[in-house]
Amino acid sequence: MATDGILKVKNIETLYGLIMAIRGVSLEVQEGQIVCILGANGAGKTTILKTIMGLLEDQPDKGTIEFMGKRIDGKDAEEIVHLGISYVPEGREVFPELSVEENLKMGAYTRKDPKGVKEDYNRVISHFPILAERKSQWAGTLSGGEQQMLAIGRALMARPKLLMLDEPSLGLSPILVHEIFRIIKTINGEGTTILLVEQNAKMALKISDYGFVLENGRIVAANTPKILLEDEDVKEFYLGIRSEESVKGYQRWKRKKRWR
Amino acid sequence: MFGQLIVSGLAVGACYALLALAMVIIYKTSEVLNFAQGEMAMVSTFVAFTILDAYHVPFLWAASLTFLFAILLGIFFEIVFLRQAKDPTVLGLIIITLGFEMILMGFAGWKWGPDQRSFPFPVSNVETYDIGGLLISKINFWTIVISVVLMFILFLFFRYTKLGIAMRATQQNPLAARVMGIRTKWILSFTWAISSIVGAAAGMLIAALGVLDPPMMMDPLLKGFASGVLGGMTSLPGTAVGGAILGIIENLFGGYISLAFKSVVAFAIIVLVLCIKPSGLLAKHYVKKV
Amino acid sequence: MIKRVSVFLCVAILSTFLLSTQSSAQKVRGVTDTEILIGQWGPQTGPAAPWGAVARGTDLLVKIINEEGGIHGRKFKYFLRDDSYQPAKTKAIAKEFVEQIGVFAVVGGVGVACGMTARDYLMENKVPWCGPVTGVYEWITPIQKYLFAIYPLYDDEAFNLTGYLHEKLGYKKIAMFYQNDDYGKQGVMGVERYLLKKKISLVAKVSAEVTDRDLSTHALKLKNSGAEAVIMWTMPTHAALILAETAKIGFKPQWATSNTLSDSALMMQITKGLWAGMINSFFGELPDSNHPLMVKYREWHKKLAPQERWGVFYYAGIIFAEPFFEGVRRAGRNLTPETWISAMETLKNWQGIGPPISYSKPNHPMDRQGGKHVFYGKVKPDGNIQRLTDWMQITK
Ligand SMILES: Nc1ncnc2c1ncn2[C@@H]1O[C@H](COP(=O)(O)OP(=O)(O)O)[C@@H](O)[C@H]1O
Ligand SMILES: [Mg+2]
């Protein structure tokens, strides 16, 4: 792996009280790439993103996080946003009783350049024309897909260098999922580095440059999509393709043996 | 008599509404019913009184200094008491406000004594304007004007300023607000500051309408709470309207039905609204979609 | 040998037992060779706190008497407790007075409801109680051997005041504004009793709850009644509020009120001067009176308690305690509840700075009603009082 990554996470451990949710994760994101983290429910994907974002008090407990060559672990969210990371949380988390426009305005909260903000507003509208139509409607009244678009648009309003998306496909119809992934790709094409967390491995790997597989708070595989797509376990557990007949217990045992 | 009842109902209603707004601003942020609101306002009003009494400065000066004091008092309470609570439940926080209420009450009793005083407000509380046969006392008139102006400023602030929108955002989704880079802890302190200012304004008006003494806010606070409940405890315009309605209903009830039970009206309204339409009279609803 | 020892022991134990019971029978609660313990409750905090000054005024009198050497070689130790005007607390305080401190007597005590929770307990424990600070019938009916009332009865006071307005000043349309509790209602009782005798009725009867802060409707009702004179029986806050509200709507009747609102310095201040013109009854000398006792008390006040305002409520604490000390004086060195009571019953038109006080052997409730007089005055625009009458007997 090259060493000039925009984001470098080294050996972090994150605790919820006494429970260790992230157990020594290292990962790196290269500038301009789309990198995805795959993993089942409860694997710790969201926790990684929240740790990077500085949303968990006093975390990571161990390890370091570097963004553009600067240590950001231990900094608070407001500084991290300012440095250029935006986060689209799992489940959209729009402000339900703010209008669409006000939601977008909040995305640019830390910025002090009205002109740039205006440009970015137009850029967001060009990606998501529907948001312009719904401009003065309460965000809580939008459909799920529209809320996801709003959440992404809102994150873009900070003009991030790194955009982190937490399961953007969750609960959306297949057509909308395609649409969202297409837009993610476009945004990446315009120069924003993307760290994507997904359970929908097939879609995620399709647009990614690199992928990590997370299980129980540990990275168990890391490679290019092409190789990951060939991996028997990825196939079985994330793509739903069962390999040759085998006893389930044996499979599980084998996997454990290989990955831990 | 009818017109007179409406006018004076509006004037007290305006005070109720201001107090209710102060409570609602806090409630929306943290679901805490601030029972210290009345006493915070009372102490602020005493500060205004002391400044006016000791230094004979123009009233607007004293009012500005009082607002400054109110800001500090609000922030002080939030940081020194509420923020210290470990894993606070809403009930726990409410009990902290009750404790603060008692501290302030005791402090006021110790510092300014129990005697009633008249609050030197620049508007006479006995002179009247005669508007087409309807007598409106100057103090009622200005109480209504000042309250409406304050509410309008609040409305503009929450509607259009970045900080105001950020406060609403923090109320609605603190996690997302942090993700936007909003310093939510700072916003919380700021919320207390604003609420405390609004309360102090209500306190000065209430003292000007009547007399200034430590228990002066006990009844208005209850009425303010009832107005807030009428407005669903969440909507600012709803709360303002709730205060006006309560003031008028109370007066009409007292005027035409029974004076002895006039003060029970507020209780009845709290109970009725909580039973029938807990979201308040003007609450808008949105259905959360997934 | 053992037998003799045990007999000796038995005798010794028995005799100490007998001796000790004998000596404790002689001992009087709250009285030692050098000291007499007395107590009072009063609202130092809470909505009724302005009346808390009464208990502090008593403290001044206690200090004065101690400074002057006490009475019959004994000095007084005074226990002041804050009940915040909450009857439950008053009851606890009464228990503390009797069971923990062991007071000889209770003096003063603000509040009808507060005093009522303590009355029966104090009487059962034979604790002398002098001068509850309210003028209601509860203190003298049923008649209590150990309880000596001083405060002129509200009922009779209101009766007489109405008579003054009607007969002397010629008002026919009279309205009443009162506090909706025992205090206010006994005022209404007296007013209506008088009017019934004259076969006229109140043109309006408007009440306020203790917690009310908005009296605009009350004011309108009074105005619409067309009253020429309004009698009010309320607390200071409501008095100020109703004057402001009626002034706002241009209603200016002749006001008259009870001695409970006779602190005209305070009332002038909180009504911003609207108090001027009030016809007030008084149960004690006026604040600036030249009465020799008043002069003396004012001097001590300056020396011992300069932080206190020389207001009516404050020196009322002296008025309700003076007869108690006179009783102690007359009882002599052998002070017991019984000797004190006998001494109190010898008071006939005895006067300090309050009304003339008389008591008799308890055959009739009025035998325990010490104060039966008030006088009237009118508040001048500068806040001073123009005395309208001399002391007048209101209770027969
Ligand atoms: N606030 C929390 N307190 C305690 N445990 C938590 C908390 N949030 C998540 N966890 C636990 O941490 C682990 C990882 O959770 P999460 O990061 O949300 O997983 P994912 O996003 O991959 O579904 C899970 O076992 C989850 O139960
Ligand atoms: Mg997750």
Side-chain angles (χ1 to χ4, degrees):
Chain A
M1 207 186 278
T3 47
D4 57 338
I6 186 170
L7 178 74
K8 287 183 207 167
V9 174
K10 282 186 198 148
N11 254 318
I12 56 164
E13 290 181 4
T14 298
L15 305 176
Y16 288 113
L18 293 174
I19 301 160
M20 193 184 285
I22 301 299
R23 307 151 176 264
V25 162
S26 299
L27 55 83
E28 198 164 331
V29 178
Q30 307 297 322
E31 182 142 23
Q33 288 196 333
I34 298 184
V35 171
C36 68
I37 302 175
L38 307 175
N41 240 335
K45 304 181 298 294
T46 300
T47 306
I48 291 183
L49 295 192
K50 283 190 173 169
T51 308
I52 295 172
M53 204 61 208
L55 293 172
L56 303 173
E57 216 159 297
D58 300 329
Q59 302 298 330
D61 191 50
K62 294 217 175 78
T64 62
I65 304 169
E66 262 179 42
F67 178 66
M68 303 207 314
K70 244 195 205 160
R71 283 279 293 272
I72 59 165
D73 48 288
K75 292 202 152 90
D76 56 15
E78 115 111 6
E79 251 178 292
I80 292 169
V81 173
H82 210 75
L83 288 172
I85 305 184
S86 280
Y87 170 48
V88 180
E90 187 178 350
R92 312 10 146 183
E93 306 283 349
V94 296
F95 301 114
E97 292 182 21
L98 295 190
S99 70
V100 167
E101 203 176 3
E102 287 168 337
N103 265 274
L104 292 176
K105 208 174 196 171
M106 284 299 100
Y109 182 78
T110 56
R111 294 179 61 176
K112 306 219 154 40
D113 55 329
K115 247 179 97 186
V117 171
K118 185 81 198 138
E119 277 168 34
D120 283 328
Y121 181 78
N122 291 333
R123 185 164 76 106
V124 167
I125 294 299
S126 72
H127 286 311
F128 307 107
I130 185 84
L131 295 184
E133 280 170 44
R134 299 282 150 92
K135 187 164 100 163
S136 35
Q137 198 171 317
W138 270 2
T141 64
L142 297 179
S143 74
E146 289 162 348
Q147 288 193 8
Q148 186 64 61
M149 294 179 195
L150 176 59
I152 296 174
R154 187 180 62 178
L156 286 177
M157 288 300 291
R159 193 179 279 183
K161 302 199 176 62
L162 172 68
L163 178 64
M164 305 198 296
L165 297 139
D166 197 344
E167 303 205 31
S169 71
L170 194 73
L172 299 187
S173 70
I175 300 175
L176 270 171
V177 172
H178 267 97
E179 173 71 6
I180 295 281
F181 275 84
R182 186 186 62 72
I183 294 168
I184 293 173
K185 189 83 192 159
T186 319
I187 292 166
N188 177 245
E190 290 173 1
T192 310
T193 310
I194 285 173
L195 177 58
L196 175 66
V197 153
E198 263 301 341
Q199 289 195 59
N200 188 339
K202 208 159 110 193
M203 283 300 299
L205 287 173
K206 215 192 249 169
I207 62 165
S208 297
D209 300 300
Y210 202 80
F212 294 88
V213 179
L214 190 70
E215 198 179 294
N216 274 327
R218 285 200 177 92
I219 302 280
V220 292
N223 224 318
T224 57
K226 212 172 143 201
I227 297 173
L228 284 178
L229 281 166
E230 292 303 307
D231 187 289
E232 292 297 318
D233 293 293
V234 174
K235 263 193 203 164
E236 178 176 348
F237 289 97
Y238 301 104
L239 304 177
I241 306 162
R242 281 210 97 190
S243 56
E244 307 279 304
E245 275 307 300
S246 63
V247 187
K248 203 153 189 200
Y250 172 68
Q251 275 276 332
R252 197 163 275 286
W253 174 82
K254 184 184 140 205
R255 194 165 59 95
K256 274 187 179 157
K257 203 174 169 200
R258 248 188 71 201
W259 283 1
R260 292 198 182 169
Chain B
M1 165 140 151
F2 183 76
Q4 216 72 62
L5 284 172
I6 300 273
V7 169
S8 53
L10 268 178
V12 280
C15 295
Y16 298 162
L18 279 182
L19 262 182
L21 284 176
M23 286 187 95
V24 165
I25 290 169
I26 296 296
Y27 180 79
K28 281 179 73 156
T29 322
S30 46
E31 292 190 357
V32 170
L33 284 175
N34 178 17
F35 284 105
Q37 196 80 60
E39 267 51 88
M40 287 167 69
M42 177 269 292
V43 168
S44 302
T45 309
F46 263 110
V47 166
F49 172 83
T50 308
I51 295 170
L52 286 166
D53 197 49
Y55 304 106
H56 304 283
V57 293
F59 186 81
L60 280 181
W61 267 82
S64 314
L65 284 173
T66 302
F67 288 146
L68 192 69
F69 170 82
I71 291 175
L72 295 178
L73 182 66
I75 293 179
F76 168 82
F77 178 48
E78 198 272 320
I79 292 179
V80 175
F81 289 82
L82 291 176
R83 201 175 279 184
Q84 304 311 319
K86 287 261 173 287
D87 301 322
T89 59
V90 166
L91 185 65
L93 292 174
I94 289 175
I95 288 170
I96 295 179
T97 71
L98 274 172
F100 191 52
E101 189 258 352
M102 286 177 203
I103 292 174
L104 289 175
M105 195 63 151
F107 173 78
W110 167 79
K111 180 81 182 64
W112 291 288
D115 280 357
Q116 288 95 349
R117 296 149 199 265
S118 69
F119 185 68
F121 199 65
V123 177
S124 153
N125 71 342
V126 293
E127 288 167 31
T128 52
Y129 298 121
D130 189 338
I131 302 177
L134 195 63
L135 290 178
I136 300 184
S137 69
K138 289 187 176 172
I139 186 96
N140 280 356
F141 178 81
W142 285 105
T143 299
I144 295 172
V145 169
I146 292 171
S147 307
V148 168
V149 167
L150 267 178
M151 286 178 210
F152 194 62
I153 292 175
L154 270 184
F155 172 77
L156 293 180
F157 171 76
F158 280 113
R159 188 67 196 261
Y160 294 111
T161 66
K162 192 158 146 185
L163 188 55
I165 301 174
M167 287 174 76
R168 277 154 65 211
T170 306
Q171 286 161 1
Q172 293 167 24
N173 193 333
L175 174 85
R178 286 184 62 203
V179 170
M180 300 300 106
I182 296 170
R183 288 193 194 274
T184 51
K185 280 186 179 166
W186 192 88
I187 291 276
L188 199 60
S189 302
F190 196 76
T191 309
W192 278 88
I194 291 200
S195 153
S196 182
I197 288 187
V198 176
M204 286 191 269
L205 289 173
I206 287 168
L209 285 169
V211 295
L212 173 63
D213 62 353
M216 72 169 190
M217 298 304 281
M218 297 203 318
D219 184 56
L221 187 74
L222 173 73
K223 307 291 174 63
F225 181 49
S227 316
V229 169
L230 263 176
M233 287 310 283
T234 48
S235 139
L236 296 190
T239 303
V241 173
I245 291 180
L246 179 65
I248 292 172
I249 291 184
E250 252 194 351
N251 265 14
L252 292 181
F253 186 89
Y256 294 114
I257 303 174
S258 158
L259 259 183
F261 288 99
K262 181 181 164 191
S263 46
V264 182
V265 172
F267 277 115
I269 283 178
I270 292 179
V271 173
L272 265 180
V273 172
L274 288 181
C275 289
I276 296 168
K277 199 159 181 290
S279 52
L281 295 183
L282 299 185
K284 282 191 256 176
H285 290 274
Y286 79 93
V287 183
K288 196 170 182 180
K289 290 178 189 163
V290 187
Chain C
M1 181 63 190
I2 290 175
K3 213 174 174 182
R4 266 162 105 195
V5 170
S6 50
V7 166
F8 174 77
L9 272 177
C10 283
V11 170
I13 290 168
L14 205 67
S15 57
T16 45
F17 183 69
L18 282 174
L19 281 174
S20 70
T21 46
Q22 200 183 1
S23 69
S24 78
Q26 279 174 343
K27 199 173 166 236
V28 178
R29 176 179 49 224
V31 181
T32 68
D33 274 355
T34 54
E35 264 184 350
I36 299 170
L37 312 186
I38 54 177
Q40 177 168 192
W41 60 80
Q44 303 305 306
T45 56
W51 292 330
V54 175
R56 302 197 300 277
T58 305
D59 183 50
L60 176 65
L61 183 58
V62 171
K63 283 188 177 136
I64 293 172
I65 289 172
N66 285 342
E67 289 274 331
E68 290 176 341
I71 297 176
H72 302 310
R74 295 190 182 102
K75 291 202 171 175
F76 291 85
K77 211 167 165 186
Y78 177 58
F79 297 86
L80 193 172
R81 293 287 181 273
D82 178 17
D83 66 354
S84 308
Y85 212 52
Q86 290 168 16
K89 283 195 190 165
T90 317
K91 186 159 193 188
I93 291 169
K95 282 208 151 131
E96 186 199 346
F97 280 166
V98 175
E99 288 162 26
Q100 285 166 33
I101 300 173
V103 297
F104 170 68
V106 169
V107 177
V110 165
V112 181
C114 295
M116 281 305 288
T117 62
R119 186 189 70 183
D120 292 349
Y121 174 79
L122 292 177
M123 293 306 107
E124 277 160 23
N125 285 283
K126 305 191 167 144
V127 181
W129 181 8
C130 179
V133 190
T134 38
V136 293
Y137 282 114
E138 274 82 346
W139 312 132
I140 51 173
T141 51
I143 194 162
Q144 311 282 350
K145 184 177 172 195
Y146 293 89
L147 177 43
F148 290 77
I150 293 173
Y151 209 120
L153 290 162
Y154 296 141
D155 179 20
D156 290 337
E157 188 194 353
F159 182 92
N160 215 265
L161 182 63
T162 319
Y164 187 79
L165 289 176
H166 185 65
E167 288 163 31
K168 282 262 161 37
L169 305 177
Y171 291 114
K172 288 178 190 67
K173 289 174 152 184
I174 296 175
M176 179 93 194
F177 173 62
Y178 65 102
Q179 180 168 315
N180 195 12
D181 64 5
D182 259 4
Y183 157 57
K185 282 178 183 162
Q186 297 207 5
V188 177
M189 196 198 293
V191 172
E192 290 194 319
R193 199 158 53 82
Y194 176 84
L195 292 177
L196 191 70
K197 212 177 80 181
K198 296 285 163 189
K199 299 205 168 50
I200 44 182
S201 55
L202 281 169
V203 294
K205 210 169 121 182
V206 176
S207 71
E209 303 303 313
V210 175
T211 52
D212 281 348
R213 277 276 163 168
D214 164 33
L215 300 184
S216 49
T217 320
H218 306 67
L220 270 176
K221 286 213 156 168
L222 289 172
K223 181 184 183 183
N224 289 351
S225 72
E228 301 158 337
V230 182
I231 298 173
M232 66 162 109
W233 228 261
T234 63
M235 54 182 193
T237 313
H238 281 164
L241 287 171
I242 199 71
L243 284 188
E245 292 293 342
T246 47
K248 272 183 205 173
I249 52 175
F251 177 50
K252 294 199 168 77
Q254 173 63 55
W255 291 93
T257 191
S258 156
N259 59 56
T260 49
L261 296 181
S262 56
D263 191 340
S264 50
L266 171 73
M267 295 314 298
M268 278 302 271
Q269 199 266 335
I270 64 174
T271 59
K272 296 180 182 165
L274 293 175
W275 198 249
M278 177 68 61
I279 289 177
N280 218 164
S281 71
F282 295 86
F283 65 93
E285 290 295 327
L286 297 171
D288 54 354
S289 148
N290 297 326
H291 190 289
L293 276 173
M294 285 295 279
V295 174
K296 170 180 140 184
Y297 291 149
R298 279 201 300 266
E299 273 166 16
W300 279 111
H301 163 251
K302 254 183 237 140
K303 214 178 291 172
L304 298 176
Q307 76 283 3
E308 295 282 352
R309 183 174 66 87
W310 184 252
V312 172
F313 297 146
Y314 183 68
Y315 68 76
I318 296 177
I319 295 178
F320 295 110
E322 279 175 326
F324 167 78
F325 290 111
E326 181 60 21
V328 174
R329 224 168 259 131
R330 293 190 186 190
R333 174 75 189 165
N334 174 25
L335 181 66
T336 68
E338 309 306 322
T339 59
W340 179 78
I341 287 170
S342 304
M344 291 296 279
E345 284 165 355
T346 65
L347 292 182
K348 300 286 178 232
N349 278 323
W350 181 88
Q351 206 166 3
I353 58 171
I357 306 284
S358 309
Y359 295 112
S360 315
K361 293 245 169 291
N363 298 316
H364 183 268
M366 290 312 157
D367 297 333
R368 280 285 185 269
Q369 175 61 40
K372 302 186 176 76
H373 297 66
V374 297
F375 64 85
Y376 297 133
K378 189 166 188 168
V379 181
K380 293 191 280 192
D382 63 3
N384 288 324
I385 310 296
Q386 174 197 350
R387 206 164 159 154
L388 297 175
T389 70
D390 203 354
W391 285 103
M392 303 187 309
Q393 185 163 359
I394 54 168
T395 298
K396 298 291 172 275

